[in-house]
Amino acid sequence: MQLDKTGTLLGTPWAFACPRSGCQEFLDFYVAGKARRFLAAFTFVPKGAYIAVQSMTPELRQVVEFEKGFEGPIFVLVRDANTVAQTLRFTLTGSAMAESDQERTQLMNTDRSLVFQRKLEPDLTLKVELTPPPPAG
């Protein structure tokens, strides 16, 4: 499910079943007030799951993990057979972000500077709940 800046549900939560190996789903998330298409990929491993989010629109170039600042899958640890919920926060780059909100600091790539500029708030916040399959039998 997608959350807004206050932690309130934004839109309708999605629920889908994945095989044990994982799955991919096309989902629409609201970014700066507009629905944008993303691909969410879930890969399950013995200790948890890797979750990756990728933009499918050319106006959004990168989906970067908000706190650690890397692009790519995020690991969610699952310790037992219970449902696990984790909030994932992302920074987005691209022309859609520059046009939508001129007052916010943009994440800039520069080859000639050692200064790293970071946004103060995430652009996309998702709450992911992982529920294990029922026992076979």
Side-chain angles (χ1 to χ4, degrees):
M1 64 188 81
Q2 183 177 3
L3 305 176
D4 68 7
K5 292 178 186 179
T6 65
T8 305
L9 178 65
L10 186 62
T12 305
W14 303 272
F16 44 88
C18 292
R20 289 189 183 272
S21 60
C23 64
Q24 297 180 350
E25 292 288 329
F26 287 103
L27 303 170
D28 290 326
F29 299 132
Y30 291 97
V31 176
K34 291 179 74 176
R36 304 280 184 172
R37 179 67 83 167
F38 289 84
L39 176 65
F42 300 85
T43 304
F44 301 110
V45 295
K47 301 266 183 192
Y50 286 96
I51 301 170
V53 178
Q54 179 180 351
S55 171
M56 300 308 293
T57 60
E59 299 87 23
L60 295 172
R61 287 191 305 265
Q62 291 180 307
V63 180
V64 180
E65 198 278 334
F66 178 69
E67 291 177 13
K68 296 181 180 131
F70 66 86
E71 185 178 8
I74 296 174
F75 180 71
V76 176
L77 179 65
V78 178
R79 294 181 187 234
D80 51 34
N82 296 326
T83 298
V84 173
Q86 185 162 338
T87 301
L88 309 177
R89 302 181 321 152
F90 300 97
T91 297
L92 305 174
T93 66
S95 61
M97 298 311 298
E99 294 169 5
S100 65
D101 196 350
Q102 295 291 335
E103 296 178 15
R104 292 173 67 186
T105 304
Q106 297 297 309
L107 186 69
M108 301 291 186
N109 291 333
T110 175
D111 297 336
R112 295 182 292 273
S113 173
L114 297 176
V115 176
F116 181 73
Q117 191 171 5
R118 180 184 294 223
K119 294 182 180 181
L120 299 177
E121 296 177 354
D123 297 311
L124 180 63
T125 303
L126 305 175
K127 184 175 180 182
V128 177
E129 293 183 4
L130 302 174
T131 304

